[in-house]
Amino acid sequence: MKRHTLFTRHSGIGLVEVMVAGAVFAVGILGIVKLQGQLMQSSSDSNARALATQLAQEVLDDLNRVGTSTVTFAGIANNSGGSIAADTSNSNGQTVAGNVDFQRTWVVTSQYYSDITPADGKIDPTPYTAAQLTAAGKTIPTSPDVKSVDVTVTWLDQSERGSTTTEQVTLSGMISSITPQTAAALSGGTSGSGVGSAASPKVSYSASSVASVVAVHVGDVSGTYRETLTPTVDAGNQRTTFKSYTYGSDNTLKREEEFETVACTCTFSGTGSGYLPAYSTWDSYESTYKDVFIDSAVTKPIGSNAAHGGSDDFCDACCKDHHDAGSSAVDSSNVKYCDPANGVVDRCYDPFRGGDYDASGRHKHYSTAGVAVTSGNYIESCRFKRVDGYWRVYQDWHMVKFTSFPLSLLDNSSNEALYEDYIRDVIDQHLSEGKVSGETLSSPPSAPSLLSESSTVEVYVDDSDIVQKTARGVFLDHINSTHLTQVLAEKSTSQDYFIDVPFYEFDVTQLSTWSSGDTTKVIVGAGDGSTSLGHGAHAVTIPGGGLYGVATTAGSTVSISAAIRKSNSALAALSTPDGIDFDAAALNPDNLHFSATEAACVDPGCSSTTTTSSSTSSSTTTSSTTTSSSTTSSSTSTSTTTTTSTTASRTVTVTLALDSSYMDANDYSDMTVTATYSSTVVSCSQPAKSGSSVLSSCTLPVGSSGTVDFRGPKKTSGLCSLTPSGVFGSGAAVTLTINSSTCL
């Protein structure tokens, strides 16, 4: 019998399988756990990076508030300039966000707009650094146009393994020198857009408090003023910069105009592509004048900057463009740009030249020797103005009135109002006579008496309180026939028309050439303020137009003169003989010049008709300055009388010097000295011996008049005579000397 063995099959999971499955599961779980940790770490990194980006953006936003009370463009620098403080550590707890301590710093780089690539006479859209300008042979401007800001935020990142790494975020931005307020003004109501647009944003302007700045009333109905700030003169680069503001009585800015005038050495570069001048014309939509620049070059003679190694954008453009197109050149409407021979000057660079044009209708150019040239080097001066935010070569300056007078006259509001009215009279007469292209007035208005050149300024010997004169220029731009017609129509209907006339009045003291008829009596400071006297503690620096008395004029006067050219050369700080754009035989505004002369006397010894520099009346003050000596038969008194109408707030010391050789101790110890002025009696100090003199002094207000008396015993009978060598108003010590032995 066969035996069969029965095998029973069992199914299920073995231990080994379980262990393998467990291992796989554990690995999976570990992976998930690690992934979760990485996700959390990544989330933390992303959060820190987002916070860092936000912190960097805060700095850029803060610095972009330039023009506010807390941020100025000049103040923006590395780690400074705004209301947010830089944080130079990521472990000091200063800048903490999301439980992360951040470090926040920034680097500022000044940049400048220039014409480098390509050199086509147009300002490139991308600014350059100072190093790039230097490498291209360009002069670095005084102030940057924009500033690039790189804000870096760093923090410490902690990994899951415990290691620490430094992470960072950098954001970059550009800050413009043109403030949002200025940009808003430029876009709706200032230069290039006109005054009075109902949609214009309101921009505030605070009137200047500088004594030399005069606000001219240009709108009686609207209560509008125009003031032009005193030019900043850079004699080294022969250029001036300044701004003019037209604003309402509510301090709302209506027009802002910015100018720069330069002097350049150029060379002719044949015929090429150049631009016509920017100019003003009537805007019928805005009902005022606007600035126009045609951004389309024409073929004409051009020049280039001949100042090797000293090139700058302004002279590059000046040399290249300051050439007229010529009488045969016409625009797309077949209208000539500049044909002076036929009275077409609206788009000439210098509409005021008269006959100083060549046969092709282009204004002439001159060498430093004053000779008209058509090749090689020549001297040029150009007026620039910002038009729609860009510097453009503008039609030339033209001065229509020049005068000078003591600056202190403007301290009085009545005097300033008289001068302001005179400015308006001058402009009004040019409009009425239609002489807005350089012509001389047939009937010039009379100047107020305070500006009379027949007056005399009183100065003092060795007085630290220098009498400051101011030279004033009134400039009127060319006005085309359409513009003039509109202005005269406004005048005829009693509208505010001065507001629509492009004229500017400002201080040109630093730009004038000053001279004294007798420097042994009166020294006048040079325009650049470089005149100095003495040395050490006794050094005196006389500002331009400042009068300093050296010695008494003894009743006579010294002629003080100021002179200035009438066109661009005046404002480019050019001087004769080099650098003046004129020919002595040609009558152009750079050859012609204005001059103003006024007499000065030096106390003691001014004449009986003296106009004091500190006059506060609304017209020229004529004062009587006399000095007299009187004697008395009284045995105990003698007096000297001095009288002057000079006014000032300071005081001077009057010293009585007595010759001690005629005195003994009892004589001068028993004496008394008093000063009497305006019914006021002042006791002077008890006489005391000093060297060979016996001195007594007292302090009196400048401008006081009266007597100085001494009283004491006499040695012999007879009269005492006091000879004064000064008067109360002289500003220096006044010495009265007894010169006779019979006095004591």
Side-chain angles (χ1 to χ4, degrees):
M1 184 172 93
K2 293 176 76 174
R3 298 181 65 185
H4 298 277
T5 301
L6 181 62
F7 292 93
T8 302
R9 183 178 181 85
H10 299 282
S11 62
I13 299 175
L15 179 60
V16 173
E17 293 171 310
V18 171
M19 293 178 67
V20 170
V24 172
F25 179 75
V27 171
I29 292 298
L30 289 175
I32 292 173
V33 171
K34 183 174 181 62
L35 177 61
Q36 182 68 21
Q38 290 177 340
L39 289 174
M40 294 179 65
Q41 180 68 31
S42 177
S43 176
S44 177
D45 289 346
S46 298
N47 183 57
R49 194 168 296 277
L51 291 172
T53 302
Q54 180 180 345
L55 291 172
Q57 188 62 49
E58 284 181 357
V59 173
L60 293 177
D61 291 342
D62 180 52
L63 296 180
N64 263 309
R65 294 186 302 109
V66 64
T68 65
S69 59
T70 57
V71 183
T72 63
F73 183 73
I76 297 176
N78 293 345
N79 294 334
S80 64
S83 60
I84 297 176
D87 183 357
T88 58
S89 173
N90 52 23
S91 60
N92 59 4
Q94 178 178 329
T95 309
V96 178
N99 295 321
V100 179
D101 195 344
F102 293 93
Q103 172 181 314
R104 179 166 54 180
T105 59
W106 56 92
V107 176
V108 177
T109 303
S110 295
Q111 297 189 10
Y112 312 83
Y113 287 109
S114 183
D115 173 28
I116 294 180
T117 306
D120 57 0
K122 294 184 179 180
I123 300 299
D124 300 336
T126 303
Y128 298 94
T129 64
Q132 290 172 317
L133 291 182
T134 300
K138 300 286 186 177
T139 299
I140 300 174
T142 304
S143 301
D145 295 302
V146 295
K147 291 182 178 180
S148 64
V149 182
D150 298 315
V151 185
T152 301
V153 178
T154 62
W155 70 96
L156 298 177
D157 178 50
Q158 189 77 30
S159 70
E160 72 275 12
R161 296 181 180 179
S163 61
T164 300
T165 59
T166 300
E167 301 289 340
Q168 74 174 39
V169 166
T170 299
L171 290 185
S172 300
M174 301 290 284
I175 311 296
S176 173
S177 60
I178 301 177
T179 67
Q181 293 90 339
T182 301
L186 289 172
S187 66
T190 57
S191 180
S193 299
V195 178
S197 171
S200 301
K202 289 187 176 181
V203 179
S204 296
Y205 174 73
S206 298
S208 174
S209 60
V210 177
S212 60
V213 176
V214 174
V216 181
H217 203 182
V218 294
D220 294 325
V221 178
S222 59
T224 306
Y225 299 85
R226 179 176 300 155
E227 63 181 31
T228 304
L229 305 187
T230 301
T232 299
V233 181
D234 184 350
N237 289 326
Q238 293 185 322
R239 66 180 62 203
T240 58
T241 57
F242 57 94
K243 291 184 178 183
S244 181
Y245 298 93
T246 302
Y247 59 96
S249 55
D250 60 351
N251 294 326
T252 298
L253 183 65
K254 296 187 176 184
R255 185 188 294 271
E256 178 180 353
E257 299 170 279
E258 186 175 4
F259 305 99
E260 181 145 353
T261 308
V262 301
C264 309
T265 300
C266 310
T267 189
F268 287 96
S269 299
T271 301
S273 182
Y275 291 98
L276 298 173
Y279 60 97
S280 68
T281 190
W282 185 257
D283 186 341
S284 57
Y285 178 77
E286 295 287 353
S287 295
T288 189
Y289 69 91
K290 67 177 181 180
D291 295 316
V292 175
F293 174 74
I294 300 175
D295 193 9
S296 179
V298 300
T299 300
K300 62 174 186 173
I302 60 173
S304 59
N305 191 346
H308 301 294
S311 175
D312 65 76
D313 296 330
F314 288 95
C315 278
D316 290 348
C318 174
C319 294
K320 184 175 185 292
D321 291 333
H322 201 274
H323 295 261
D324 293 315
S327 56
S328 62
V330 296
D331 61 16
S332 58
S333 300
N334 203 36
V335 176
K336 292 184 177 183
Y337 298 115
C338 178
D339 184 10
N342 292 299
V344 181
V345 296
D346 290 348
R347 286 181 282 182
C348 297
Y349 267 100
D350 189 349
F352 316 104
R353 285 254 171 167
D356 192 33
Y357 292 87
D358 62 21
S360 299
R362 303 182 180 99
H363 73 266
K364 296 179 181 179
H365 293 83
Y366 298 93
S367 67
T368 56
V371 177
V373 292
T374 57
S375 63
N377 287 359
Y378 62 95
I379 298 299
E380 189 67 276
S381 52
C382 292
R383 172 193 184 187
F384 285 81
K385 184 178 183 180
R386 281 197 187 271
V387 179
D388 296 331
Y390 294 92
W391 286 111
R392 304 296 188 189
V393 184
Y394 206 84
Q395 281 186 329
D396 289 1
W397 290 106
H398 184 70
M399 188 187 300
V400 296
K401 184 59 184 177
F402 176 68
T403 188
S404 69
F405 49 83
L407 179 61
S408 58
L409 289 176
L410 295 178
D411 292 340
N412 180 272
S413 58
S414 297
N415 287 341
E416 185 170 1
L418 282 173
Y419 176 58
E420 178 189 339
D421 288 342
Y422 178 59
I423 296 169
R424 288 157 51 105
D425 289 344
V426 170
I427 298 301
D428 196 43
Q429 192 65 22
H430 275 276
L431 298 175
S432 298
E433 294 187 14
K435 295 183 175 179
V436 291
S437 298
E439 304 93 338
T440 301
L441 289 176
S442 300
S443 302
S446 300
S449 55
L450 80 143
L451 303 181
S452 173
E453 295 186 3
S454 62
S455 61
T456 303
V457 179
E458 186 176 0
V459 296
Y460 313 113
V461 176
D462 296 329
D463 187 7
S464 60
D465 189 12
I466 294 169
V467 175
Q468 180 64 54
K469 294 197 68 177
T470 177
R472 318 294 306 185
V474 181
F475 294 80
L476 177 64
D477 285 355
H478 170 70
I479 301 176
N480 62 38
S481 58
T482 301
H483 187 175
L484 179 61
T485 298
Q486 293 294 333
V487 170
L488 293 177
E490 289 180 337
K491 178 182 178 181
S492 67
T493 54
S494 301
Q495 298 181 53
D496 286 342
Y497 63 98
F498 282 109
I499 195 174
D500 295 324
V501 179
F503 77 93
Y504 312 91
E505 187 283 337
F506 51 92
D507 185 291
V508 291
T509 304
Q510 294 184 74
L511 300 166
S512 301
T513 300
W514 293 89
S515 61
S516 169
D518 186 350
T519 56
T520 66
K521 298 293 192 298
V522 181
I523 294 177
V524 59
D528 59 6
S530 61
T531 306
S532 298
L533 296 176
H535 59 277
H538 301 290
V540 176
T541 298
I542 307 174
L547 304 185
Y548 183 85
V550 179
T552 177
T553 50
S556 62
T557 60
V558 173
S559 176
I560 304 298
S561 299
I564 193 169
R565 299 287 170 181
K566 297 176 68 174
S567 191
N568 290 350
S569 293
L571 297 189
L574 293 179
S575 59
T576 54
D578 293 336
I580 293 295
D581 183 18
F582 81 98
D583 183 339
L587 296 180
N588 72 50
D590 279 315
N591 180 17
L592 301 175
H593 67 275
F594 280 113
S595 63
T597 303
E598 194 171 18
C601 70
V602 182
D603 270 327
C606 280
S607 64
S608 60
T609 54
T610 300
T611 300
T612 66
S613 63
S614 53
S615 169
T616 57
S617 66
S618 59
S619 61
T620 302
T621 299
T622 301
S623 61
S624 176
T625 303
T626 61
T627 302
S628 62
S629 297
S630 64
T631 60
T632 176
S633 59
S634 168
S635 62
T636 59
S637 69
T638 187
S639 66
T640 296
T641 302
T642 59
T643 305
T644 180
S645 62
T646 309
T647 59
S649 59
R650 56 198 173 86
T651 58
V652 294
T653 298
V654 176
T655 301
L656 181 69
L658 308 178
D659 191 339
S660 63
S661 63
Y662 299 107
M663 304 174 63
D664 56 33
N666 292 331
D667 289 331
Y668 58 77
S669 62
D670 292 336
M671 293 183 67
T672 60
V673 180
T674 61
T676 304
Y677 66 94
S678 301
S679 301
T680 301
V681 179
V682 174
S683 296
C684 300
S685 63
Q686 179 65 40
K689 187 173 182 179
S690 175
S692 62
S693 298
V694 176
L695 303 180
S696 174
S697 64
C698 49
T699 300
L700 306 174
V702 173
S704 58
S705 60
T707 62
V708 174
D709 301 283
F710 72 86
R711 298 182 181 276
K714 285 177 44 180
K715 282 187 174 182
T716 61
S717 62
L719 300 178
C720 294
S721 175
L722 298 182
T723 302
S725 60
V727 295
F728 291 5
S730 70
V734 175
T735 301
L736 307 179
T737 304
I738 294 179
N739 59 1
S740 172
S741 62
T742 61
C743 286
L744 295 172

